[in-house]
């Protein structure tokens, strides 16, 4: 069964006033707007969970999911790093991080051999959230990497060398709990770098029929990467996005995905929301732009659910 923001609100505890639906909605809105430091903190994973957010189909909510889950996890007490691998740099925009040409970026990481410390910066919009931005230079990276030895593992080596990425024993209390890698809408060398670097894969699927058509090709690519380059990679999470509860099509697509992938699919679905779409134009995620909106509540609940399931690092 798909769980929407309304279901999340109905299930939330609070001040005990459940006399009317309006009272329940108002109560949950108050809770959602509490200072982030007052929210219950999630238990930290035993090591850094490196998660690849990928789907070669465009417009399914990859970047939106990456930045909002990252912000939600940070608000829930986790230490998060976002790696923007999309030359469009939309994740960098949403997190209000400078990504003009010449900015230290994932291009320098992959092509010039820069270290992660040299290219990482902090998001001014979400306290405690670190970002490696993407610049337009990244558009030419696939051509420039063609002649490079072990070109598909450049990102993996950069992450492995960072002192804040690893198990609790290796990286200590200052470690990143999550590394979320935002991929471009293709299955090229940039996405391949992410798949080789990741341990888990998060696939956003739009609740429309076309979104299912490319899923088979994506899973074939994942299986090839598992066989030849990264045996650790596992599809741990599937998130249904742009869910419109008013249509039978959305419900049908969601049910088909759940029937096929079972518990890998999060119970929480992300609804279509104008506020989610508006937030990037203000250099924000919906988590800070409108924390009481249906989109923000859904992403917050999806983050809680994702943190409590899936494979560990």
């Amino acid at each position: 069964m798909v769980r929407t923001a309304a279901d999340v609100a109905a299930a939330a505890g609070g001040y005990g006033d459940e006399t009317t639906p309006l009272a329940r909605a108002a109560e949950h809105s108050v809770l959602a707007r509490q200072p982030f430091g007052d929210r219950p903190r999630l238990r930290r994973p035993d090591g850094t969970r490196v998660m690849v957010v990928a789907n070669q189909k465009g417009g399914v909510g990859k970047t939106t999911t990456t930045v909002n889950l990252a912000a939600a996890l940070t608000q829930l007490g986790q230490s998060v790093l976002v790696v923007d691998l999309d030359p469009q740099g939309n994740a960098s925009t949403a997190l209000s991080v400078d990504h003009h040409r010449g900015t230290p970026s994932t291009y320098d990481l992959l092509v010039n051999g820069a270290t992660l410390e040299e290219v990482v910066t902090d998001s001014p919009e979400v306290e405690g959230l670190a970002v490696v931005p993407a610049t337009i230079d990244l558009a030419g990276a696939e051509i420039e990497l063609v002649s490079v030895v072990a070109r598909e593992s450049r990102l993996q080596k950069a992450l492995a060398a960072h002192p804040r990425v690893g198990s609790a024993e290796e990286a200590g209390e200052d470690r990143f709990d999550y590394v979320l890698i935002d991929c471009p809408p293709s299955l090229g060398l940039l996405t391949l770098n992410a798949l080789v670097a990741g341990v888990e894969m998060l696939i956003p699927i739009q609740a429309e029929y076309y979104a299912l058509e490319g899923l088979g090709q994506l899973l074939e690519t994942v299986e090839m990467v598992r066989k030849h380059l990264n045996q650790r990679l596992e599809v741990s999470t599937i998130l249904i996005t742009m869910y419109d509860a008013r249509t039978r099509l959305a419900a049908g697509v969601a049910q088909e995905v759940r029937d096929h992938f079972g518990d890998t699919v999060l119970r929480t679905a992300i609804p279509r929301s104008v506020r989610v779409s508006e937030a990037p134009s203000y250099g924000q995620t919906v988590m800070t732009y409108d924390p009481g909106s249906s989109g923000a509540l859904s992403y917050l609940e999806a983050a809680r659910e994702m943190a409590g399931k899936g494979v560990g690092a």
Side-chain angles (χ1 to χ4, degrees):
M1 179 182 177
V2 175
R3 186 163 56 162
T4 63
D7 300 317
V8 172
Y15 303 108
D17 185 359
E18 298 183 352
T19 54
T20 67
L22 181 59
R24 289 195 298 271
E27 171 191 333
H28 196 70
S29 181
V30 170
L31 291 173
R33 296 174 187 276
Q34 282 181 338
F36 301 140
D38 295 342
R39 292 180 176 175
R41 298 171 67 89
L42 297 176
R43 178 184 175 275
R44 300 182 70 186
D46 296 331
T48 304
R49 294 178 64 178
V50 182
M51 306 187 72
V52 182
V53 184
N55 190 330
Q56 82 273 19
K57 186 180 185 307
V60 299
K62 287 186 300 297
T63 297
T64 300
T65 293
T66 301
V67 298
N68 284 298
L69 283 181
L73 287 167
T74 303
Q75 293 172 6
L76 292 169
Q78 308 297 290
S79 178
V80 183
L81 168 67
V82 170
V83 179
D84 191 352
L85 267 189
D86 190 340
Q88 298 176 88
N90 291 336
S92 305
T93 298
L95 296 172
S96 201
V97 172
D98 190 15
H99 59 102
H100 66 270
R101 176 167 281 169
T103 302
S105 66
T106 45
Y107 174 84
D108 301 289
L109 198 70
L110 297 178
V111 177
N112 297 331
T115 64
L116 204 58
E117 292 97 327
E118 293 173 330
V119 297
V120 72
T121 186
D122 292 326
S123 169
E125 284 298 322
V126 183
E127 185 178 354
L129 178 58
V131 184
V132 180
T135 65
I136 192 61
D137 294 326
L138 197 59
E142 295 197 4
I143 297 174
E144 295 183 58
L145 287 172
V146 165
S147 60
V148 177
V149 176
R151 57 188 179 271
E152 72 280 347
S153 59
R154 303 278 283 185
L155 180 59
Q156 186 271 331
K157 291 178 180 177
L159 287 174
H162 196 280
R164 295 182 63 188
V165 176
S167 65
E169 293 76 20
E170 296 167 343
E173 288 301 307
D174 195 37
R175 69 185 181 278
F176 287 119
D177 297 307
Y178 292 85
V179 175
L180 301 183
I181 306 173
D182 183 39
C183 296
S186 69
L187 294 178
L189 191 52
L190 293 177
T191 299
L192 183 60
N193 258 271
L195 294 177
V196 172
V199 178
E200 303 181 52
M201 187 172 180
L202 188 160
I203 305 176
I205 297 180
Q206 185 179 1
E208 293 186 2
Y209 177 75
Y210 285 143
L212 298 176
E213 288 196 319
L215 192 55
Q217 182 185 356
L218 177 62
L219 294 177
E220 287 178 9
T221 301
V222 172
E223 193 55 39
M224 288 179 59
V225 172
R226 280 171 56 88
K227 184 180 294 185
H228 299 290
L229 296 169
N230 181 9
Q231 296 180 351
R232 304 177 303 162
L233 184 64
E234 180 172 341
V235 177
S236 66
T237 308
I238 294 177
L239 177 64
I240 296 172
T241 61
M242 305 181 195
Y243 182 79
D244 189 343
R246 299 169 300 178
T247 67
R248 292 184 180 179
L249 174 62
V253 170
Q255 190 58 51
E256 190 171 340
V257 172
R258 293 180 193 285
D259 290 344
H260 193 274
F261 294 100
D263 292 340
T264 304
V265 186
L266 295 184
R267 290 175 295 134
T268 304
I270 308 302
R272 286 191 176 275
S273 170
V274 174
R275 307 303 270 173
V276 171
S277 302
E278 285 178 349
S281 64
Y282 293 89
Q284 297 184 51
T285 67
V286 73
M287 307 306 298
T288 55
Y289 178 65
D290 189 355
S293 66
S294 62
L297 294 176
S298 295
Y299 272 116
L300 190 65
E301 188 63 19
R304 290 183 193 274
E305 193 178 344
M306 186 182 75
K309 67 185 290 291
V311 295

